[in-house]
Structures are given as structure tokens and as C-alpha cells.
Short mmCIF file of all heavy atoms in Angstrom, two decimals:
data_model
loop_
_atom_site.label_atom_id
_atom_site.label_comp_id
_atom_site.label_asym_id
_atom_site.label_seq_id
_atom_site.Cartn_x
_atom_site.Cartn_y
_atom_site.Cartn_z
N ALA C 203 -11.39 -52.10 -6.32
CA ALA C 203 -12.08 -51.78 -5.06
C ALA C 203 -11.47 -52.50 -3.87
O ALA C 203 -11.38 -51.94 -2.77
CB ALA C 203 -13.57 -52.15 -5.19
N VAL C 204 -11.05 -53.75 -4.05
CA VAL C 204 -10.63 -54.57 -2.91
C VAL C 204 -9.11 -54.59 -2.71
O VAL C 204 -8.64 -54.70 -1.57
CB VAL C 204 -11.16 -56.02 -3.07
CG1 VAL C 204 -10.79 -56.88 -1.87
CG2 VAL C 204 -12.67 -56.02 -3.27
N ALA C 205 -8.34 -54.48 -3.78
CA ALA C 205 -6.88 -54.60 -3.66
C ALA C 205 -6.27 -53.63 -2.66
O ALA C 205 -5.40 -54.03 -1.88
CB ALA C 205 -6.23 -54.45 -5.04
N PRO C 206 -6.67 -52.34 -2.64
CA PRO C 206 -6.05 -51.44 -1.65
C PRO C 206 -6.26 -51.89 -0.21
O PRO C 206 -5.38 -51.73 0.64
CB PRO C 206 -6.77 -50.10 -1.91
CG PRO C 206 -7.17 -50.17 -3.35
CD PRO C 206 -7.56 -51.61 -3.56
N ILE C 207 -7.44 -52.46 0.09
CA ILE C 207 -7.70 -52.98 1.43
C ILE C 207 -6.78 -54.17 1.71
O ILE C 207 -6.20 -54.29 2.80
CB ILE C 207 -9.18 -53.41 1.56
CG1 ILE C 207 -10.10 -52.21 1.33
CG2 ILE C 207 -9.44 -54.02 2.94
CD1 ILE C 207 -11.57 -52.56 1.29
N ALA C 208 -6.64 -55.05 0.73
CA ALA C 208 -5.77 -56.23 0.89
C ALA C 208 -4.32 -55.82 1.12
O ALA C 208 -3.61 -56.42 1.92
CB ALA C 208 -5.87 -57.11 -0.35
N ILE C 209 -3.89 -54.78 0.42
CA ILE C 209 -2.51 -54.29 0.56
C ILE C 209 -2.26 -53.81 1.99
O ILE C 209 -1.24 -54.12 2.61
CB ILE C 209 -2.24 -53.15 -0.45
CG1 ILE C 209 -2.28 -53.71 -1.88
CG2 ILE C 209 -0.90 -52.48 -0.18
CD1 ILE C 209 -2.41 -52.64 -2.95
N GLY C 210 -3.22 -53.06 2.52
CA GLY C 210 -3.08 -52.57 3.90
C GLY C 210 -3.10 -53.70 4.91
O GLY C 210 -2.33 -53.69 5.88
N MET C 211 -3.95 -54.69 4.69
CA MET C 211 -4.00 -55.84 5.59
C MET C 211 -2.71 -56.63 5.57
O MET C 211 -2.23 -57.10 6.61
CB MET C 211 -5.19 -56.74 5.22
CG MET C 211 -6.54 -56.18 5.60
SD MET C 211 -7.88 -57.36 5.32
CE MET C 211 -9.22 -56.56 6.20
N ALA C 212 -2.12 -56.78 4.40
CA ALA C 212 -0.85 -57.50 4.29
C ALA C 212 0.24 -56.78 5.06
O ALA C 212 1.05 -57.40 5.76
CB ALA C 212 -0.46 -57.63 2.82
N SER C 213 0.25 -55.46 4.97
CA SER C 213 1.27 -54.66 5.65
C SER C 213 1.19 -54.80 7.16
O SER C 213 2.21 -54.91 7.84
CB SER C 213 1.11 -53.19 5.25
OG SER C 213 1.98 -52.37 5.98
N LYS C 214 -0.03 -54.85 7.71
CA LYS C 214 -0.20 -54.86 9.15
C LYS C 214 -0.28 -56.26 9.76
O LYS C 214 -0.09 -56.42 10.97
CB LYS C 214 -1.44 -54.05 9.54
CG LYS C 214 -1.31 -52.58 9.18
CD LYS C 214 -2.37 -51.74 9.84
CE LYS C 214 -2.12 -50.26 9.53
NZ LYS C 214 -3.09 -49.38 10.23
N SER C 215 -0.57 -57.24 8.93
CA SER C 215 -0.71 -58.61 9.46
C SER C 215 0.56 -59.44 9.28
O SER C 215 0.73 -60.46 9.93
CB SER C 215 -1.87 -59.33 8.76
OG SER C 215 -1.57 -59.55 7.39
N GLY C 216 1.44 -59.01 8.37
CA GLY C 216 2.64 -59.78 8.10
C GLY C 216 2.46 -60.85 7.05
O GLY C 216 3.40 -61.55 6.69
N ILE C 217 1.23 -60.98 6.52
CA ILE C 217 0.99 -61.94 5.44
C ILE C 217 1.65 -61.40 4.17
O ILE C 217 1.69 -60.20 3.92
CB ILE C 217 -0.52 -62.13 5.20
CG1 ILE C 217 -1.18 -62.71 6.45
CG2 ILE C 217 -0.78 -63.07 4.02
CD1 ILE C 217 -2.69 -62.81 6.35
N SER C 218 2.16 -62.30 3.35
CA SER C 218 2.80 -61.91 2.10
C SER C 218 1.86 -61.05 1.27
O SER C 218 0.69 -61.38 1.06
CB SER C 218 3.20 -63.16 1.31
OG SER C 218 3.46 -62.84 -0.04
N LEU C 219 2.39 -59.93 0.77
CA LEU C 219 1.59 -59.03 -0.08
C LEU C 219 1.13 -59.76 -1.33
O LEU C 219 -0.02 -59.62 -1.75
CB LEU C 219 2.42 -57.80 -0.44
CG LEU C 219 1.77 -56.78 -1.37
CD1 LEU C 219 0.46 -56.27 -0.80
CD2 LEU C 219 2.73 -55.62 -1.61
N ALA C 220 2.03 -60.53 -1.95
CA ALA C 220 1.67 -61.26 -3.17
C ALA C 220 0.54 -62.25 -2.90
O ALA C 220 -0.36 -62.43 -3.74
CB ALA C 220 2.89 -61.99 -3.72
N LEU C 221 0.54 -62.88 -1.72
CA LEU C 221 -0.50 -63.86 -1.39
C LEU C 221 -1.86 -63.19 -1.23
O LEU C 221 -2.88 -63.71 -1.72
CB LEU C 221 -0.13 -64.60 -0.10
CG LEU C 221 0.93 -65.69 -0.21
CD1 LEU C 221 1.31 -66.19 1.17
CD2 LEU C 221 0.43 -66.85 -1.07
N THR C 222 -1.89 -62.05 -0.56
CA THR C 222 -3.18 -61.38 -0.37
C THR C 222 -3.72 -60.87 -1.71
O THR C 222 -4.92 -60.96 -1.98
CB THR C 222 -3.06 -60.20 0.61
OG1 THR C 222 -2.05 -59.30 0.15
CG2 THR C 222 -2.70 -60.68 2.00
N ILE C 223 -2.84 -60.35 -2.55
CA ILE C 223 -3.26 -59.88 -3.87
C ILE C 223 -3.73 -61.07 -4.72
O ILE C 223 -4.71 -60.97 -5.46
CB ILE C 223 -2.11 -59.13 -4.57
CG1 ILE C 223 -1.85 -57.80 -3.87
CG2 ILE C 223 -2.44 -58.89 -6.04
CD1 ILE C 223 -3.01 -56.83 -3.91
N GLY C 224 -3.04 -62.20 -4.60
CA GLY C 224 -3.44 -63.40 -5.33
C GLY C 224 -4.84 -63.86 -4.95
O GLY C 224 -5.62 -64.30 -5.79
N ALA C 225 -5.18 -63.73 -3.65
CA ALA C 225 -6.52 -64.10 -3.18
C ALA C 225 -7.58 -63.19 -3.79
O ALA C 225 -8.66 -63.64 -4.19
CB ALA C 225 -6.57 -64.04 -1.66
N VAL C 226 -7.26 -61.91 -3.88
CA VAL C 226 -8.20 -60.94 -4.46
C VAL C 226 -8.42 -61.22 -5.95
O VAL C 226 -9.56 -61.25 -6.42
CB VAL C 226 -7.68 -59.50 -4.27
CG1 VAL C 226 -8.55 -58.51 -5.06
CG2 VAL C 226 -7.67 -59.13 -2.80
N VAL C 227 -7.33 -61.44 -6.68
CA VAL C 227 -7.44 -61.70 -8.12
C VAL C 227 -8.21 -63.01 -8.36
O VAL C 227 -9.06 -63.10 -9.26
CB VAL C 227 -6.05 -61.76 -8.79
CG1 VAL C 227 -6.17 -62.15 -10.26
CG2 VAL C 227 -5.36 -60.41 -8.67
N GLY C 228 -7.92 -64.03 -7.56
CA GLY C 228 -8.63 -65.31 -7.70
C GLY C 228 -10.12 -65.17 -7.49
O GLY C 228 -10.93 -65.67 -8.28
#
């Protein structure tokens, strides 16, 4: 449910994709 939102945020914010996904999994 949350990962697709995190992926989009990473793309537009410049934050590392792996980092945003790591936050979701954690």
C-alpha cells in the first residue's frame, strides 16, 4: 500500500529510492 507512494516521493524529492523504501519496510 505504501511503497508506491514512497517511490514517487523519492523520484520527485531527490531522496534515495533505497532509503525511502527502507523506511517503509522498517
Side-chain angles (χ1 to χ4, degrees):
V204 183
I207 299 173
I209 293 164
M211 286 187 167
S213 174
K214 296 194 175 184
S215 67
I217 298 175
S218 163
L219 177 57
L221 283 172
T222 56
I223 290 297
V226 171
V227 175

